[in-house]
């Protein structure tokens, strides 16, 4: 008697979750017709992205094997996994999953079809115990169409008389077809009536479960393996309609795996052939250079040239649901410029230029860039990070200096450069968030980027005949560079005594406030910590971020202040692991697993970052210690996962096998982190060249060689200085025209100074404070020309503060 198809029970299913971020492989076809990006972990496919790099459409896609006497085995949980690329630099993969109990072996070859939006998976099933007829093999697919696990609909249907597994959600459809006919199939709700539950509980699929609507759904189909047919080709097609998705799937099946593989490999070979030969095989035999270049290229958009996401992963994804739409598959301007640097270091200037073009296209009207964004440039998080607003200027300068942005081409970017420089000089040096997206204030890292970017922009403006604007940018850079130590360098603290040093740069000093004598006397709210355990004195928190002052050319590697800071960094943040030393972001960091290995859930404990070993290696190279830099390169490689991908963080505790956390191995954070792969490529290039590849030359010449010191101090509403060193001129900077009325004798007499507007719309007045006796107080207020009224508040600056830049650092013996 025929069964009546029904909607599966258990709607809408359990709350949707993503999956492991510990990827062992990522890939794409490098073809405009492909529009597919895929990820692999635990021997199976995870998130597959279509039609854009920021649109995840699946959670995972693996196999279940059943057999006699209730045998049930899921390859991602119950097998040992091996992975290798088709060849160096080609991110198509061969996977071998061998059952832990020795019952079977599954071999897979996986790639995206370059001819259409379809993913191909060639599967060979080999029984190692018993006969082929003893086993049944099922494909289990969890659709999460367009970044969400809920609200999907799945059904068992057909296309032109052939059975197909379908799903739809948010205007996108997928269709799964097989070269061997599907046998039994089902569609159900995850955790209630999906194929996993059916097979686990009863050993077979329920043929009545043909549809699951508007929920967290899964599709399951038995692949028609038999004694004579041990190989199957599965094609997962995508499209705007079910028919389009099915047409793509069947077209890929008809073409076959080998022709698709040939085209896929040729495209990747051609691209890799154009890169510099920086190849390096680690102890594992992996060519980490080609893995890294492939990672960079895989994270690029096709439809939006120049866009690239931070990672095709969702950190601790197995603990996150639909409220985390973006994961790391978003564009961070900082990560994107770092990616461009990786391309440039590898010899692919064209990709770096595309990135600059893209950054130009998503720049906001006021000159800044969003904290992070979807591919179309629409902002995701609302924060403002001044390093991200300055980094694109460094990219433009690097391309210009390398001859890839001649004057004619540079002119096209001039509006972008002017807007970005204007935003930085108007809104810096304080940042709304540091590079770790957590705290506002004076960050050595952000200051280094801002100052280096202003000098770089000045050179670019000079090249375009804008000398006056360029001069102002250099003046501002000089003023800020003079005060880096005043804002962020502390002496005589408990950490100084512990490390036996005179002083060190703090991780970040909070913005100026009336409560603290100077920013570094204030408190920093540490994020990702339990309520009531957040605020720390600025002087108590240190970070490798200070090394950016060397990386971007503002301080010499052997500057005693830097040398002392490195000692404090190592005392507080170095973690010795089997692969070598790695470093934490800062002491007290809460972004990482809990002590018991439970996933980060808003609080936790930060773990070591391989990226920071790359940054430290660049510092060692700048200091002339090439051997140390090379050993840190090996530590970076030793932190990689089984496919050579570099994680954001590694586990620093004892092995917790039940949580897949092993000492010195990748943690549950993002993997791969594209930024880490970019840093690795740049380090290879730097070691080859014997110099830091991306160190801008302007600061080195101006501050280390020429020892330029500013004659000015600036006062502005977002940086109201209260003291000024003897001999300095006070420059008042306003965003509207005004008359500055000032007095040095408590208003017994007063002088009016009219502001003048510069090229960036900033209104300046230089007040003659250089000759004021020490201890004098200058009082001033404003008459706003446009509004026609007074500020009605008096401001004051005391002359005579000793300039920290005038204190010569002690000489190392």
């Amino acid at each position: 008697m025929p069964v009546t198809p029904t909607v599966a029970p258990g709607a809408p299913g359990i709350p949707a979750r993503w999956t492991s971020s510990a990827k062992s492989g990522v890939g794409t076809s490098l073809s405009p017709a492909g529009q597919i990006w895929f990820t692999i972990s635990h021997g199976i496919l995870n998130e597959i992205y279509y039609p854009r790099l920021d649109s995840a459409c699946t959670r995972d896609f693996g196999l279940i094997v059943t057999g006699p006497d209730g045998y049930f085995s899921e390859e991602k949980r119950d097998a040992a996994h091996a992975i290798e690329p088709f060849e160096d630099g080609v991110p198509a993969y061969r996977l071998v999953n061998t059952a832990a109990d020795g019952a079977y072996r599954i071999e897979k070859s996986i790639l995206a079809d370059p001819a259409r939006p379809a993913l191909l998976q060639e599967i060979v099933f080999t029984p190692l115990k018993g006969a082929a007829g003893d086993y049944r093999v099922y494909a289990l697919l969890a659709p999460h169409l367009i970044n969400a696990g809920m609200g999907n609909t799945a059904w068992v249907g057909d296309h032109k008389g052939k059975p197909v597994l379908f799903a739809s959600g948010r205007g996108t459809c997928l269709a799964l077809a097989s070269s061997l006919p599907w046998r039994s199939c089902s569609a159900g709700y995850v955790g209630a009536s999906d194929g996993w539950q059916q097979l686990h509980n009863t050993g077979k699929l329920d043929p009545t479960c043909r549809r699951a609507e508007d929920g967290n759904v899964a599709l399951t189909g038995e692949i028609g393996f038999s004694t004579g047919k041990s190989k199957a080709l599965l094609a997962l097609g995508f499209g705007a309609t079910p028919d389009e998705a099915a047409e793509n799937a069947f077209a890929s099946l008809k073409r076959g795996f080998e022709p698709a593989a040939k085209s896929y490999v040729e495209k990747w070979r051609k691209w890799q052939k154009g890169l510099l030969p920086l190849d390096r095989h680690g102890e594992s035999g992996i060519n980490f250079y080609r893995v890294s270049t492939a990672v960079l290229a895989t994270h690029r958009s096709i439809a939006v040239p120049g866009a690239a996401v931070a990672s095709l992963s969702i950190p601790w994804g197995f603990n996150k649901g639909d409220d985390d739409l973006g994961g790391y598959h978003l564009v961070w301007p900082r990560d994107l410029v770092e990616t461009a640097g990786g391309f440039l270091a590898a010899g692919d200037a064209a990709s770096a230029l595309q990135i600059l073009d893209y950054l130009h296209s998503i720049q906001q009207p006021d000159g800044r860039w969003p904290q992070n964004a979807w591919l179309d440039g629409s902002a995701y998080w609302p924060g403002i990070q001044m390093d991200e607003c300055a980094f694109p200027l460094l990219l433009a300068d690097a391309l210009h200096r390398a001859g890839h942005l001649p004057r004619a081409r540079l002119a096209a970017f001039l509006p972008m450069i002017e807007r970005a420089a204007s935003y930085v000089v108007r809104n810096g040096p304080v940042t709304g968030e540091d590079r770790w997206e957590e705290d506002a204030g004076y960050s050595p890292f952000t200051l280094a980027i801002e100052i280096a970017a202003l000098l770089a922009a000045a050179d670019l403006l000079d090249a375009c005949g804008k000398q006056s604007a360029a001069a102002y940018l250099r003046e501002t850079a000089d003023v800020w560079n003079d005060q880096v130590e005043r804002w962020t360098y502390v002496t005589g603290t408990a950490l100084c005594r512990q490390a036996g040093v005179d002083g060190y740069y703090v991780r970040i000093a909070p913005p100026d406030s009336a409560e603290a004598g100077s920013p570094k006397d204030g408190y920093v709210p540490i994020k990702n910590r339990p309520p009531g355990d957040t605020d720390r004195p600025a002087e108590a928190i240190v970070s490798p971020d200070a090394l950016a002052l060397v990386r971007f050319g503002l301080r010499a590697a052997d500057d005693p202040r830097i040398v002392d800071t490195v000692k404090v960094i190592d005392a507080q943040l170095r973690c010795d692991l089997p692969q070598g030393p790695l470093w934490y972001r800062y002491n007290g960091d809460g972004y990482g697993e809990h002590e018991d290995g439970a996933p980060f859930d808003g609080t936790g404990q930060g773990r070591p970052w391989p990226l920071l070993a790359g940054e430290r290696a660049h510092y060692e190279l700048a200091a002339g210690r090439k051997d140390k830099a090379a050993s840190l390169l090996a530590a970076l490689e030793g932190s990689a996962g089984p496919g050579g991908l570099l994680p954001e963080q590694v586990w620093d505790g004892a092995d917790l096998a039940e949580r897949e956390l092993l000492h010195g191995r990748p943690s549950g954070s993002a993997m791969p982190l594209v930024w880490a792969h970019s840093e690795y490529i740049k380090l290879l290039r730097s070691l080859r060249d014997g110099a830091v590849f991306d160190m801008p030359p302007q600061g080195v010449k101006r501050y280390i060689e020429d020892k330029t010191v500013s004659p000015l101090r600036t006062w502005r509403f977002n940086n109201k200085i209260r003291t000024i060193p003897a001999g300095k001129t006070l420059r008042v900077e306003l965003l509207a025209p005004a008359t500055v009325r000032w007095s040095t004798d408590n208003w017994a007499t007063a002088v009016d100074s009219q502001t003048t507007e510069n090229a960036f719309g900033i209104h300046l007045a230089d007040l003659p404070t250089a000759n004021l006796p020490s201890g004098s107080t200058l009082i001033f207020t404003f008459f706003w020309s446009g509004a026609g009224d007074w500020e009605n508040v008096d401001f004051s600056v005391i002359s005579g503060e000793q300039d920290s830049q005038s204190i010569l650092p002690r000489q190392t013996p």
Side-chain angles (χ1 to χ4, degrees):
M1 185 174 177
V3 294
T4 303
T6 61
V7 173
I14 61 174
R17 290 288 179 267
W18 292 99
T19 189
S20 171
S21 59
K23 310 306 179 192
S24 52
V26 294
T28 190
S29 67
L30 290 185
S31 168
Q35 298 177 292
I36 294 279
W37 295 259
F38 63 90
T39 67
I40 295 168
S41 82
H42 297 81
I44 69 168
L45 286 156
N46 294 152
E47 294 94 353
I48 301 166
Y49 295 78
Y50 164 87
R52 302 192 331 183
L53 189 59
D54 56 2
S55 302
C57 290
T58 66
R59 177 187 189 271
D60 54 16
F61 177 16
L63 303 179
I64 292 173
V65 179
T66 65
D69 303 319
Y71 183 80
F72 177 94
S73 179
E74 187 175 11
E75 61 173 343
K76 75 176 181 182
R77 289 188 175 93
D78 303 321
H81 312 120
I83 183 170
E84 63 176 14
F86 276 26
E87 59 186 67
D88 284 351
V90 178
Y93 300 94
R94 296 187 184 90
L95 279 58
V96 179
N97 299 330
T98 306
D101 60 11
Y104 62 84
R105 180 175 64 246
I106 295 168
E107 297 165 86
K108 302 178 183 178
S109 296
I110 297 175
L111 51 79
D113 189 340
R116 58 190 58 82
L119 186 112
L120 289 170
Q121 189 169 194
E122 188 177 71
I123 302 169
V124 176
F125 178 78
T126 305
L128 302 178
K129 293 179 180 177
D134 295 337
Y135 298 95
R136 294 176 179 269
V137 182
Y138 301 84
L140 175 64
L141 172 64
H144 274 220
L145 284 155
I146 313 302
N147 295 327
M150 303 305 290
N152 290 275
T153 294
W155 68 99
V156 180
D158 68 86
H159 180 74
K160 298 180 179 177
K162 295 179 181 178
V164 183
L165 303 179
F166 287 105
S168 66
R170 282 157 286 277
T172 300
C173 300
L174 60 77
L176 179 59
S178 172
S179 63
L180 295 179
W182 295 116
R183 290 177 179 157
S184 57
C185 299
S186 85
Y189 293 101
V190 174
S193 55
D194 62 280
W196 192 97
Q197 297 289 335
Q198 294 172 26
L199 294 169
H200 186 263
N201 297 335
T202 69
K204 59 183 181 180
L205 294 180
D206 181 346
T208 67
C209 291
R210 308 281 289 181
R211 189 174 184 87
E213 298 179 345
D214 192 22
N216 181 13
V217 300
L219 288 157
T220 313
E222 184 187 349
I223 304 169
F225 289 121
S226 62
T227 303
K229 295 180 178 178
S230 61
K231 181 187 287 187
L233 180 60
L234 302 187
L236 181 62
F238 292 86
T241 65
D243 279 349
E244 183 183 350
E247 286 286 354
N248 285 326
F250 280 109
S252 279
L253 283 184
K254 183 177 180 181
R255 185 187 187 203
F257 188 83
E258 289 307 320
K262 182 180 178 183
S263 172
Y264 186 102
V265 169
E266 283 176 351
K267 289 179 186 297
W268 276 98
R269 279 179 183 164
K270 181 179 179 182
W271 182 74
Q272 292 280 6
K273 188 177 180 181
L275 303 182
L276 293 175
L278 301 174
D279 299 71
R280 173 183 162 96
H281 291 80
E283 292 183 9
S284 61
I286 294 173
N287 187 332
F288 283 100
Y289 173 60
R290 298 296 172 176
V291 168
S292 295
T293 54
V295 165
L296 265 60
T298 294
H299 284 76
R300 290 185 302 185
S301 170
I302 293 171
V304 187
V309 298
S311 178
L312 288 171
S313 70
I314 299 167
W316 301 284
F318 57 87
N319 198 49
K320 294 184 178 180
D322 289 357
D323 55 339
D324 192 325
L325 287 178
Y328 276 13
H329 47 268
L330 294 157
V331 177
W332 270 264
R334 170 183 43 258
D335 294 55
L336 187 56
V337 172
E338 298 284 7
T339 298
F343 281 124
L344 202 52
D348 183 0
S351 290
L353 278 164
Q354 278 190 329
I355 287 173
L356 190 65
D357 270 323
Y358 171 74
L359 285 165
H360 190 186
S361 75
I362 68 165
Q363 187 183 28
Q364 305 296 294
D366 63 2
R368 66 189 164 92
W369 277 271
Q371 177 180 2
N372 55 13
W374 300 102
L375 293 184
D376 63 7
S378 57
Y380 183 60
W381 288 343
I384 295 176
Q385 299 173 13
M386 292 302 295
D387 68 312
E388 292 197 308
C389 302
F391 254 126
L393 293 169
L394 291 175
L395 174 59
D397 178 59
L399 286 163
H400 178 62
R401 284 186 287 106
H404 304 302
L405 204 59
R407 182 170 178 175
R409 183 84 194 274
L410 179 61
F413 290 100
L414 183 60
M416 180 199 88
I417 292 163
E418 290 179 313
R419 285 196 301 268
S422 176
Y423 190 85
V424 173
V425 294
R426 284 166 169 260
N427 296 280
V430 169
T431 184
E433 291 182 350
D434 64 334
R435 71 161 168 170
W436 305 122
E437 311 189 287
E438 294 180 0
D439 288 313
Y442 296 95
S443 154
F445 183 91
T446 302
L447 288 168
I449 303 301
E450 289 174 315
I451 295 165
L454 292 182
L455 296 179
D459 281 5
L460 295 171
L461 290 176
D462 266 343
C464 295
K466 303 253 182 176
Q467 278 74 31
S468 175
Y472 173 72
L473 295 185
R474 292 190 184 101
E475 287 174 350
T476 303
D478 293 348
V479 170
W480 292 358
N481 182 66
D482 275 3
Q483 298 178 87
V484 168
E485 283 71 27
R486 187 174 77 83
W487 291 323
T488 67
Y489 188 77
V490 297
T491 57
T493 70
L495 290 183
C496 288
R497 291 187 289 275
Q498 289 174 26
V501 299
D502 289 349
Y504 54 89
Y505 295 92
V506 299
R507 174 199 158 214
I508 193 166
D512 297 271
S513 73
E515 289 75 39
S518 76
K520 58 198 179 192
D521 296 330
Y523 281 76
V524 176
I526 307 295
K527 300 294 170 64
N528 307 316
R529 296 188 66 84
D533 184 30
T534 58
D535 287 5
R536 296 285 189 279
E539 68 179 36
I541 307 299
V542 67
S543 169
D545 288 4
L547 298 184
L549 295 169
V550 176
R551 180 74 172 266
F552 294 96
L554 308 188
R555 300 293 180 270
D558 62 354
D559 185 315
R561 295 166 297 200
I562 294 290
V563 173
D564 280 355
T565 301
V566 168
K567 291 175 183 174
V568 177
I569 288 169
D570 285 350
Q572 295 290 320
L573 304 175
R574 175 173 164 144
C575 179
D576 290 309
L577 294 163
Q579 63 267 42
L582 300 181
W583 283 264
Y584 300 97
R585 298 193 302 175
Y586 57 88
N587 44 337
D589 185 8
Y591 184 57
E593 284 89 354
H594 290 268
E595 190 173 353
D596 64 356
F600 173 76
D601 56 3
T603 64
Q605 184 176 321
R607 308 292 167 180
W609 286 55
L611 163 70
L612 297 176
E615 292 187 352
R616 177 58 174 267
H618 274 105
Y619 166 73
E620 297 294 345
L621 187 61
R625 295 184 286 268
K626 190 172 183 178
D627 55 338
K628 283 194 175 182
S631 71
L632 287 169
L633 179 79
L636 201 53
E637 294 168 347
S639 301
L645 303 184
L646 293 171
E648 180 181 71
Q649 302 178 44
V650 301
W651 179 244
D652 54 353
D655 289 357
L656 296 173
E658 69 278 9
R659 292 191 183 273
E660 299 186 356
L661 295 171
L662 304 177
H663 188 65
R665 309 308 304 139
S667 75
S669 57
M671 186 165 76
L673 185 66
V674 180
W675 184 1
H677 284 279
S678 300
E679 183 72 1
Y680 177 82
I681 294 168
K682 285 189 277 189
L683 183 53
L684 281 177
R685 176 67 182 271
S686 297
L687 286 166
R688 190 203 76 168
D689 295 352
V692 177
F693 170 72
D694 57 357
M695 182 184 290
Q698 294 92 344
V700 177
K701 177 74 168 65
R702 196 168 185 86
Y703 303 130
I704 298 175
E705 295 176 8
D706 294 347
K707 297 180 170 43
T708 301
V709 175
S710 173
L712 305 170
R713 279 291 181 271
T714 55
W715 185 100
R716 47 170 66 182
F717 276 95
N718 70 338
N719 187 23
K720 299 180 184 123
I721 63 171
R722 287 166 288 183
T723 58
I724 185 168
K728 301 283 187 186
T729 295
L730 180 67
R731 170 169 285 178
V732 175
E733 298 190 337
L734 306 172
L735 298 182
T739 299
V740 183
R741 177 162 291 180
W742 55 275
S743 171
T744 58
D745 54 14
N746 198 25
W747 296 121
T749 60
V751 180
D752 286 348
S753 296
Q754 186 65 41
T755 61
T756 57
E757 185 176 6
N758 72 5
F760 299 100
I762 296 173
H763 300 264
L764 313 175
D766 288 348
L767 307 186
T769 54
N771 296 320
L772 283 179
S774 181
S776 302
T777 298
L778 180 134
I779 305 172
F780 56 99
T781 190
F782 309 111
F783 180 78
W784 299 104
S785 310
D789 57 13
W790 289 92
E791 178 68 19
N792 287 328
V793 175
D794 287 350
F795 304 96
S796 64
V797 173
I798 300 171
S799 173
E801 174 211 33
Q802 191 177 30
D803 188 2
S804 62
Q805 283 295 93
S806 68
I807 304 171
L808 291 175
R810 65 178 174 82
Q811 298 302 305
T812 50

